Amino acid sequence: MTTFKSLGLNPALLSAVEKLGFEAPTEVQEKVIPILLQQNTDLVALAQTGTGKTAAFGFPMLQKIDSSQRTTQGLILSPTRELCLQITNEMGNYGGHLKNINIVAIYGGANISEQAKKIKRGAQIVVATPGRLKDMIRRKLVDISAIEYCVLDEADEMLNMGFYEDIKSILTHTPKEKNSWLFSATMPQEVNTIAKKFMHDPIEITVGTKNSGAKNVNHQYFIVGARERYNTLRAVIGMNPDIFGCVFCRTKIETQKVAEKLIHDGYKAAAIHGDLSQNQRDAVMQSFRKKKIQLLIATDVAARGIDVEDITHVINYQLPDEIETYTHRSGRTGRAGKLGTSILFVTKSDRRKIKLVENKLQTKLTELEIPSPKEVFQFKIEHWVEQLKTTPIKSDLNPYLGGVLKNLEAFSKEELVELFLSKEFQSFDFNAKPLEFKKEGASERHSERTINAAKDKDRFFINVGARDQYEWQTLKDFLRSFLKLDQDDVFQVEVMKNFSFFSTHNKHRDLVLKSFDGLVLDERKVNVELTKKGKTYSPKKHFKKGKKKKRSHF
Ligand code: AMP
């Protein structure tokens, strides 16, 4: 068996390996570490996240750096703040036994002078996102003119995110004779171009098959009608009670809607998308990582750089536009030797695209039948019974057992089981048509439509908006909790810069109008008014109206 020692790591790094409990090098480490330690070369490695690639470039960089010098010798570029922090953390762990090593992360959305101060103390290794690094170079807050090693991590993601020009500009500030090490999960044309343009005879390493999804991932798909996606998702969750999954949607709005429906239906879910602030995104990710959230509903952009272990399922709520994106999505499961499942929801008209995915991945996708509500229910009962059989007995209940037994002695065993099942599964709708598990499953849109048709909807103006740091979903959450209304009771929330609109059923009219009476937010009186009945919403009209109102209200 290959060991880290046989790859040529020095004792300080070997101590770190031991402390971290790494038993053997991963494939990418086995292939990359000896090359980078022994040769001064450029390198292109095709490897997904989760393969141990950070250590593959991290150990050689740490070993080659002269820690007695305070100049910046190593630069690692990463697409997102999340990944940047992760790499810095990992590098800190790997270099924990080295003396005087200073590794500094620089990324957008955080205090630039704090980061500059850390760099000034002397950072031999800088881990950076391209935008912030470019900014700091321009302001002369960081000097990368003497670096010897430059890593482009997740190069395909960086290019996807439009960092080509930034990377090009950053590289002009680095010495020609440095070694560049490029890591990428896929090898689209753009990455090839970067490799050709900025690297000299790079050694190429491939881990697993080129452009393929992780080997440990089982790829499956359902043919769904346009309106069947949500219920198919619920069926998948129903058949996989221990799911810890990521659901990918195309739009921010869809992400939010799916998450809201899942929460409403009792699942631990949350959405992550570009409309959330960095802090909100961090909070969601932390909950997901700690498994307080079972299902993360994400857009591709928001999910970039997310590296969470143990994801059991990736669900493609819609087919992504690019097949490369499917590879990225599915690569988030099936890591560290574990098995994962990637599921695609495909409409009949998109069926032919399955072949394209299969060709790209060079693997077969399995078509699954959407389980009927009865099948899901049968499975749920069996699962529940299995769990029941292995529930640890609580001895604290012993004193109460006699009384309960006496109380139930008139019931036969069958009757008792019937009672338990009825209590446990009382919310299941046995008369549901296929794919209608519950009335709520028929979606918020349905209830909205009913309200619209009956013209019993009220639309309100409120004088808070984006300048008060509200986005539609945060305002909706605030209104729901402030008015103590349910999930579906506040809808069609539209946030403008200085004001917003929302709708409720007209039975809540008095509650809405009275509740805000006297409420002051940031020394400003909160004002809520009913908009003109029957008028459809037109941003232009309301903008004028809002302007007038603003004068009278403040
Ligand atoms: P990466 O692909 O660099 O994001 O690494 C994924 C995870 O695998 C990280 O949590 C690493 O700490 C861990 N890891 C890296 N190398 C090894 C190894 N040789 N054995 C076990 N775990 C490892």
Side-chain angles (χ1 to χ4, degrees):
M1 188 176 78
T2 315
T3 60
F4 277 101
K5 194 170 179 190
S6 67
L7 299 182
L9 293 190
N10 68 25
L13 295 178
L14 289 174
S15 305
V17 166
E18 200 178 319
K19 195 167 168 204
L20 287 163
F22 294 176
E23 283 169 6
T26 63
E27 188 187 349
V28 68
Q29 292 161 0
E30 205 174 320
K31 287 182 172 169
V32 167
I33 293 175
I35 295 176
L36 297 186
L37 283 180
Q38 287 156 26
Q39 302 181 40
N40 286 327
T41 178
D42 285 354
L43 174 125
V44 172
L46 258 179
Q48 309 246 350
T49 35
T51 51
K53 64 184 170 56
T54 315
F57 61 73
F59 281 132
M61 186 183 276
L62 287 161
Q63 185 152 325
K64 286 181 141 184
I65 262 163
D66 179 357
S67 57
S68 65
Q69 300 291 322
R70 303 306 285 173
T71 47
T72 300
Q73 300 156 57
L75 170 68
I76 301 167
L77 283 177
S78 91
T80 61
R81 157 190 158 131
E82 169 105 9
L83 188 62
C84 173
L85 287 168
Q86 222 164 275
I87 295 171
T88 312
N89 187 31
E90 289 275 310
M91 293 290 285
N93 290 337
Y94 303 155
H97 293 261
L98 297 170
K99 282 204 180 102
N100 302 324
I101 275 279
N102 192 17
I103 304 161
V104 174
I106 60 180
Y107 47 89
N111 190 312
I112 199 164
S113 26
E114 284 298 316
Q115 292 176 353
K117 249 189 239 161
K118 285 187 188 161
I119 298 276
K120 215 168 173 196
R121 276 183 224 134
Q124 293 99 341
I125 297 176
V126 171
V127 190
T129 53
R132 173 56 62 99
L133 178 62
K134 198 178 146 201
D135 195 12
M136 290 181 68
I137 293 172
R138 191 175 51 79
R139 299 198 207 181
K140 302 203 182 327
L141 296 174
V142 63
D143 177 9
I144 53 166
S145 62
I147 61 162
E148 291 171 55
Y149 311 103
C150 176
V151 174
L152 302 175
D153 195 20
E154 302 214 347
D156 49 354
E157 290 281 21
M158 285 200 281
L159 296 177
N160 268 341
M161 292 174 78
F163 284 133
Y164 179 75
E165 289 302 325
D166 286 349
I167 293 172
K168 221 168 75 177
S169 146
I170 289 165
L171 293 179
T172 60
H173 294 272
T174 61
K176 273 215 163 67
E177 55 281 6
K178 69 184 177 300
N179 290 156
S180 298
W181 305 334
L182 181 151
F183 286 75
S184 193
T186 58
M187 197 40 97
Q189 196 48 45
E190 297 84 343
V191 177
N192 257 325
T193 311
I194 284 251
K196 286 217 175 76
K197 204 161 176 165
F198 298 105
M199 301 171 86
H200 311 286
D201 290 332
I203 295 179
E204 279 193 32
I205 297 287
T206 303
V207 182
T209 329
K210 254 191 190 184
N211 282 347
S212 83
K215 279 210 183 94
N216 298 340
V217 180
N218 191 2
H219 300 268
Q220 304 169 338
Y221 68 95
F222 289 101
I223 299 291
V224 297
R227 287 168 194 275
E228 285 178 335
R229 292 182 206 275
Y230 182 70
N231 284 324
T232 309
L233 175 62
R234 287 200 53 188
V236 170
I237 303 168
M239 299 299 268
N240 296 281
D242 299 323
I243 190 169
F244 178 56
C246 200
V247 180
F248 285 96
C249 296
R250 271 207 228 209
T251 64
K252 296 169 196 170
I253 292 181
E254 179 124 56
T255 321
Q256 188 69 26
K257 271 194 176 165
V258 172
E260 284 187 11
K261 279 193 212 170
L262 286 170
I263 294 164
H264 183 240
D265 290 335
Y267 300 100
K268 289 184 275 174
I272 185 162
H273 50 71
D275 277 356
L276 301 185
S277 68
Q278 187 65 51
N279 282 347
Q280 288 168 329
R281 285 218 289 263
D282 288 348
V284 171
M285 282 315 300
Q286 204 172 6
S287 305
F288 188 51
R289 217 170 268 123
K290 288 187 176 160
K291 304 213 165 134
K292 287 184 184 154
I293 290 169
Q294 200 179 2
L295 294 152
L296 183 72
I297 325 299
T299 56
D300 289 299
V301 174
R304 275 178 188 152
I306 289 176
D307 192 13
V308 176
E309 287 176 18
D310 300 334
I311 291 181
T312 59
H313 288 73
V314 165
I315 295 166
N316 298 263
Y317 207 69
Q318 286 103 0
L319 253 177
D321 290 330
E322 307 276 335
I323 296 172
E324 297 287 357
T325 308
Y326 178 79
T327 315
H328 275 294
R329 289 178 176 184
S330 57
R332 300 192 186 279
T333 182
R335 293 181 172 196
K338 293 192 181 130
L339 290 179
T341 304
S342 176
I343 298 176
L344 258 172
F345 293 171
V346 188
T347 54
K348 256 195 197 127
S349 56
D350 273 345
R351 186 178 205 136
R352 67 198 158 77
K353 293 192 183 153
I354 292 294
K355 234 346 344 79
L356 299 177
V357 177
E358 287 182 338
N359 287 345
K360 190 80 183 176
L361 298 181
Q362 289 166 20
T363 189
K364 197 105 192 94
L365 270 62
T366 315
E367 178 172 355
L368 299 182
E369 289 284 323
I370 303 172
S372 69
K374 285 216 163 60
E375 283 168 315
V376 176
F377 189 57
Q378 176 68 35
F379 178 84
K380 273 189 174 174
I381 290 195
E382 282 165 17
H383 184 75
W384 181 76
V385 171
E386 284 313 309
Q387 279 190 324
L388 187 70
K389 286 199 292 197
T390 52
T391 304
I393 300 292
K394 257 182 138 31
S395 54
D396 295 351
L397 290 170
N398 278 348
Y400 308 97
L401 205 57
V404 176
L405 282 174
K406 195 155 176 43
N407 200 342
L408 295 175
E409 70 189 356
F411 294 92
S412 69
K413 184 177 163 190
E414 282 73 22
E415 283 168 337
L416 280 177
V417 171
E418 218 177 337
L419 279 177
F420 279 131
L421 282 179
S422 304
K423 177 101 179 77
E424 182 69 22
F425 295 100
Q426 56 184 325
S427 65
F428 190 81
D429 181 359
F430 290 88
N431 299 317
K433 289 187 219 104
L435 286 172
E436 282 179 21
F437 292 88
K438 261 202 205 179
K439 279 210 184 79
E440 297 89 325
S443 101
E444 180 177 290
R445 226 190 297 157
H446 173 74
S447 56
E448 273 181 31
R449 229 185 288 133
T450 320
I451 289 174
N452 287 341
K455 290 212 183 314
D456 45 11
K457 170 186 87 173
D458 276 344
R459 190 138 181 85
F460 295 94
F461 161 94
I462 182 166
N463 64 338
V464 296
R467 68 167 166 178
D468 307 295
Q469 317 298 323
Y470 277 113
E471 287 141 359
W472 72 267
Q473 66 274 42
T474 46
L475 182 61
K476 179 171 172 166
D477 286 346
F478 162 71
L479 292 168
R480 261 171 33 206
S481 78
F482 183 75
L483 296 166
K484 299 195 176 56
L485 288 175
D486 278 344
Q487 169 82 19
D488 288 344
D489 291 338
V490 178
F491 48 89
Q492 293 174 341
V493 179
E494 303 267 351
V495 175
M496 310 284 138
K497 191 167 168 228
N498 297 323
F499 57 91
S500 309
F501 296 94
F502 63 94
S503 298
T504 67
H505 191 286
N506 60 13
K507 69 182 175 193
H508 303 304
R509 183 180 297 172
D510 285 348
L511 169 81
V512 175
L513 291 173
K514 278 187 191 142
S515 300
F516 291 94
D517 221 17
L519 183 70
V520 175
L521 186 82
D522 287 341
E523 300 178 358
R524 211 173 70 232
K525 188 173 165 280
V526 174
N527 194 71
V528 171
E529 286 184 13
L530 201 55
T531 62
K532 265 194 187 154
K533 190 87 187 161
K535 285 260 162 80
T536 46
Y537 164 61
S538 139
K540 234 182 176 170
K541 256 185 223 160
H542 279 296
F543 186 68
K544 279 193 198 130
K545 193 174 168 191
K547 262 191 169 169
K548 238 191 263 159
K549 282 184 186 310
K550 206 174 124 192
R551 246 182 267 130
S552 58
H553 293 146
F554 301 108

